[in-house]
Amino acid sequence: MLKTRPPLLYGACVALLALVGATATAPVASAGPDLTRAAAARAASIPTPEQHFGFKMGTEGKLASYSDVLKYMKLIAERSDRVDYQTVGPTTMGNEYGTVIISAPKNLRRLDRLVEINQKLADPRGTTPEEARRLAAEGVPFYHLEATIHSSEVGNGQAINDIVHRLATEDSDFTRNVLNNSVVVLVPSQNPDGQQLIIDHFNRTAGTDYRRTYPDLYHKYTGHDDNRDWTMFTQVEARYRLELEKKYRPAIVHIMHQKGNSGSRIFVPPYGGITSENVPANMSASVSAIGQHAARAFAAAGKTGVGSLDYHIFWTLEQPVGYFPFTGAGVYLTEIASVTDYAYPQKSQDGRPLGPQQARMNLIEPYRSDTWTLADIVDYAKIATYAGMEYTASNGEKLLYDNLYAVPHEYLTKGVPSGTFAFVVDAEQRDTYATFEMLQRLEWTEVEIDRAKTAFVADGKRYDAGSYVIKMHQPRGNWAHQVLGTDRYPEVRDCGECPVLLPYAEATTSLPLQLGVDVAEVRTPFDAQLERVTSVQPPQVTMPPAPSAKGAYLVRPESYGTIQIVSALQDANIPTFRGGKGFSAKGVDYPAGTYIVPATPQARNVLATASAKVGLQVTAVDRTPKVAGVQLKPKTRVGLLRGVGNMPGGWDMWQFDQYGINYDVVSAQDFQRKSLNELYDTIVVSSGVSRDDIVEGLDPAQYDEAYSWAYGVGEKGWRMLQQFVRKGGTLLAIGDSVQTAQQLLDLPMKPALPNDDDEFVTGGSLLNQEFDPDNPVAWGMPESWPVWLYDTQAWELTDDSGEVVSNYPAEGEILASGYLRGAEHIRGTTNVASFDVGKGQVVTYGSEITFRTLPRAQYNLLYNAIYHGPAAEVDATAVQQLRPQFSPDGALLKR
Ligand SMILES: [Zn+2]
């Protein structure tokens, strides 16, 4: 609210007449007890969405853009004392992520106190149950309303304009109840960038022959996976959501989505399917109640096609709900059927009504019409939201106590259902950067971490001082258990012959296995002298004294944090060698792949900055080891063949940007050169890029110049890609792009896994893997560690011209965490393999080693290969002399 501005009185009468929302409450002409005369005048000056945007929300073919929606929200905030607008911060692409806070003026005036109450409730350590009862009676619940995260699901983002207008202007039993007894925290968009991209494209293509739907990722890096970022919190928008949870402690979170058009018209809870025992029972029950309250409202409004008992989303956190349920917030998911090209009616093909027509308990009244429109979406969104708000406002005291307080209190006092006492993170770790990244995620999600001041024994094992202990008796015990434990995904079917209910893509959320941290789950209580960790930082490292002129700096290759050191060396054009075998120096053993860097002041500066950032120790030796190896090519040029609209490619871009990799996205224009080798040393083909994506690409008749980078390059381009490798380029293919590489170069390999889910399926799991750490692609890897496998392939090499870099074990346990059906099919098969093709090299990664940037313990497999292919072999004497093989501009020196 902004009180200094004089009221602008346009359309005041119309505004009052346009108050009627989706429920049947009649507007009351007089101002409520909370409205002063001046405030009433300002409220009357608030234009309706139709006045503001020039069309009614839900009008066929018309979409309000995100920036216009924000303008409208800010305008209402200026004129209404029920509405505040706050900027949270810039998005990935620099748009504005904001929130709209809506409540009665008296609540907005005491917002600090209401937030303080929520904070006290959410902290069972400082609040007794009696005090919590009193606080719950004094406070009001916060209703976090996330209008959209999937940007192609445009209807909800239109409906909120009507919703906010109604709450800001109407005086009725409904609005009085909601405003007086709750605080609405509206996030107009959880992914503003995507809404800009989608709706701008939609508007730009109006009246043209081009497709109206946006072809590329609608979040720069994650696309539709923007909703699969709830364990690593890689994206700034995901961290904003986390910050809003911490700031306001919502008791109910309403997350609005749209779905396909073949099923019910809207899904409301109860949910169906499998749940994790880590998810608090109360949270599920409270949103089941809300969902049924909404179903009642739909019935009362004569709206049909309301479904429930669907979306089994509580096994892991990849799904819409994310982290919220673990805080005690009830997550109320609504999914509304979509229409054609975002904003045009869906008509049934055969004239029959849309959606299932048999009444069942999960769809009491089938939808009887053959048409479904954007206006229907807007209507259904409003009914579902008003019902959620009404339930929350009417049950505030219970929700505040049962959700916000009782859930963390239960874990603090009773621990977790599995009976686990604690997780112990040994002070001795292969990858200290991985440990840092894991503990940082725990810290972000308010998990209490303790560090041992002295050595202790747990489950018969001795741990040194400095080891970390995460006890389960803590407010976030359930969450810590979810992300630190290993999973055994249950085999559940809806009927005897039905397929196993699989998760969407993640049957496990184990951070330790994904990142490469040794963590022990300890059931028996133990004593240890502990201190609370107040701030998680990378380990502190100091540079060693500068070695003599004949010496060198050494960087070990085990940690994936090393990638950032290497890219800094590349960026500064510092000669960088790698030992091809293990060696000893000053009594310390260094493995194959150790980085050897000349002891120049410039190198020292770069190493000091980069190693401090990742907390990895650089060492120094006065005599450079005499070991044959390679020198990395200065400024190795990386191309990323990512595929338009292909999410794995987006994640790969994010990772490259984070790690400072010198890369460009491979474009159709690149194929107009004489040769791709002019541009790139290494081309990475993201998972999901097929031959068709390369050869056919986007159709210029359907997508204009803006997407020309993704046009097809034809058979000629396909042959150029072959030539790129044969002339010395390095090609790395990830996941199901291995098949593309196999087709491209006729690699001697064949698929090992059956196509049938009944025979083999993982649902997205971590499977044990054996590595050959002597192979340059696996330098620094342990002999075994799990890899991520979702729905791609394992391979058999058909002759011995290729080298096996890693394979699934021939004996013993294969599943490390998650689910595996048909272990016998994958036993002993090849995952990562390397091939010499002409003068070039190809490495194929059958499993998705970069899947959503989660399985970071495997990253070195990719980055080793990115730099190794273009590197020059160096004999032992030349390494010892650190004799350059390249000129500074990357050309090989003649010998
Ligand atoms: Zn969605």
Side-chain angles (χ1 to χ4, degrees), residues 150 153 224 257-258 335:
H150 287 151
E153 302 163 10
H224 196 75
H257 281 259
Q258 284 175 221
E335 294 261 6

Side-chain angles (χ1 to χ4, degrees), residues 384-404:
T385 304
Y386 296 144
M389 288 174 171
E390 184 176 70
Y391 183 93
T392 303
S394 307
N395 292 275
E397 196 172 332
K398 284 194 194 77
L399 290 172
L400 284 176
Y401 188 88
D402 295 347
N403 287 20
L404 266 199

Side-chain angles (χ1 to χ4, degrees), residues 558-844:
E558 291 99 335
S559 170
Y560 64 83
T562 310
I563 298 157
Q564 294 180 60
I565 300 180
V566 175
S567 67
L569 290 167
Q570 282 269 311
D571 197 41
N573 221 342
I574 309 278
T576 306
F577 295 80
R578 301 190 79 176
K581 284 194 302 205
F583 59 86
S584 288
K586 283 196 193 164
V588 178
D589 287 336
Y590 291 87
T594 295
Y595 294 89
I596 305 168
V597 182
T600 59
Q602 197 203 4
R604 183 180 179 81
N605 275 341
V606 172
L607 288 172
T609 309
S611 67
K613 198 172 142 199
V614 289
L616 294 172
Q617 184 63 51
V618 174
T619 54
V621 286
D622 281 327
R623 277 181 61 82
T624 302
K626 190 171 183 179
V627 57
V630 294
Q631 184 191 347
L632 305 193
K633 183 175 178 186
K635 305 245 178 198
T636 301
R637 302 161 308 166
V638 182
L640 180 67
L641 198 50
R642 71 171 176 90
V644 68
N646 179 41
M647 288 181 275
W651 286 110
D652 289 345
M653 274 203 294
W654 180 79
Q655 199 191 104
F656 285 179
D657 281 343
Q658 292 297 301
Y659 292 175
I661 304 302
N662 174 29
Y663 84 101
D664 279 309
V665 171
V666 176
S667 69
Q669 285 76 12
D670 292 345
F671 289 79
Q672 285 157 20
R673 298 284 187 120
K674 238 177 82 194
S675 139
L676 292 170
N677 306 68
E678 285 176 23
L679 296 170
Y680 303 112
D681 301 304
T682 299
I683 291 178
V684 178
V685 190
S686 299
S687 188
V689 178
S690 67
R691 184 183 190 280
D692 250 19
D693 293 330
I694 297 168
V695 174
E696 306 292 334
L698 279 191
D699 179 358
Q702 296 192 353
Y703 297 98
D704 70 11
E705 197 65 8
Y707 311 102
S708 62
W709 69 272
Y711 289 170
V713 298
E715 295 297 335
K716 179 173 165 273
W718 182 251
R719 285 192 298 276
M720 279 179 76
L721 202 52
Q722 292 168 339
Q723 284 305 311
F724 166 75
V725 179
R726 294 196 175 115
K727 286 200 250 168
T730 298
L731 186 90
L732 311 177
I734 304 172
D736 48 18
S737 291
V738 171
Q739 199 184 346
T740 311
Q742 201 272 335
Q743 285 174 292
L744 182 76
L745 296 158
D746 198 20
L747 301 172
M749 61 200 302
K750 64 174 188 192
L753 300 177
N755 253 336
D756 186 346
D757 263 12
D758 281 343
E759 286 188 65
F760 183 90
V761 68
T762 67
S765 294
L766 288 155
L767 307 187
N768 288 322
Q769 183 91 162
E770 295 165 347
F771 300 96
D772 173 9
D774 291 331
N775 187 305
V777 175
W779 278 346
M781 292 300 292
E783 281 182 3
S784 64
W785 196 265
V787 296
W788 184 268
L789 188 76
Y790 175 29
D791 62 355
T792 53
Q793 196 46 276
W795 296 85
E796 274 170 41
L797 302 194
T798 51
D799 64 28
D800 53 9
S801 64
E803 281 180 50
V804 175
V805 179
S806 80
N807 58 270
Y808 298 94
E811 285 169 14
E813 191 68 47
I814 294 198
L815 179 63
S817 189
Y819 178 68
L820 174 62
R821 180 177 187 80
E824 65 279 9
H825 295 291
I826 201 166
R827 196 172 284 292
T829 60
T830 297
N831 182 22
V832 182
S834 147
F835 306 86
D836 290 333
V837 178
K839 290 183 188 163
Q841 194 192 17
V842 177
V843 181
T844 57

Side-chain angles (χ1 to χ4, degrees), residues 15 18-23 46-50 53 55-58 64 69 72-73 76-77 80 82-84 100-103 143-148 154-172 174-176 178-179 182-188 254-257 266 298 332 334 336 374-390:
L19 298 177
V20 190
T23 59
I46 295 170
T48 62
E50 186 173 4
F53 296 99
F55 55 89
K56 257 179 92 149
M57 295 298 99
V69 171
Y72 185 54
M73 296 295 149
I76 296 180
S80 167
R82 303 169 178 181
V83 180
D84 262 340
V100 185
I101 316 288
I102 309 164
S103 194
Y143 187 89
H144 179 111
L145 176 61
E146 183 177 291
T148 155
V154 294
N156 295 305
Q158 306 295 302
I160 55 166
N161 295 300
D162 287 346
I163 291 169
V164 175
H165 179 263
R166 182 182 185 196
L167 291 175
T169 56
E170 184 177 296
D171 192 28
S172 64
F174 166 76
T175 53
R176 265 194 296 275
V178 169
L179 295 170
S182 72
V183 173
V184 174
V185 178
L186 164 67
V187 176
H254 180 181
I255 298 183
M256 305 171 94
H257 281 259
I266 184 171
F298 279 106
Y332 171 40
T334 52
I336 304 178
L374 182 62
D376 290 326
I377 297 178
V378 169
D379 266 357
Y380 276 56
K382 289 192 285 192
I383 294 173
T385 304
Y386 296 144
M389 288 174 171
E390 184 176 70

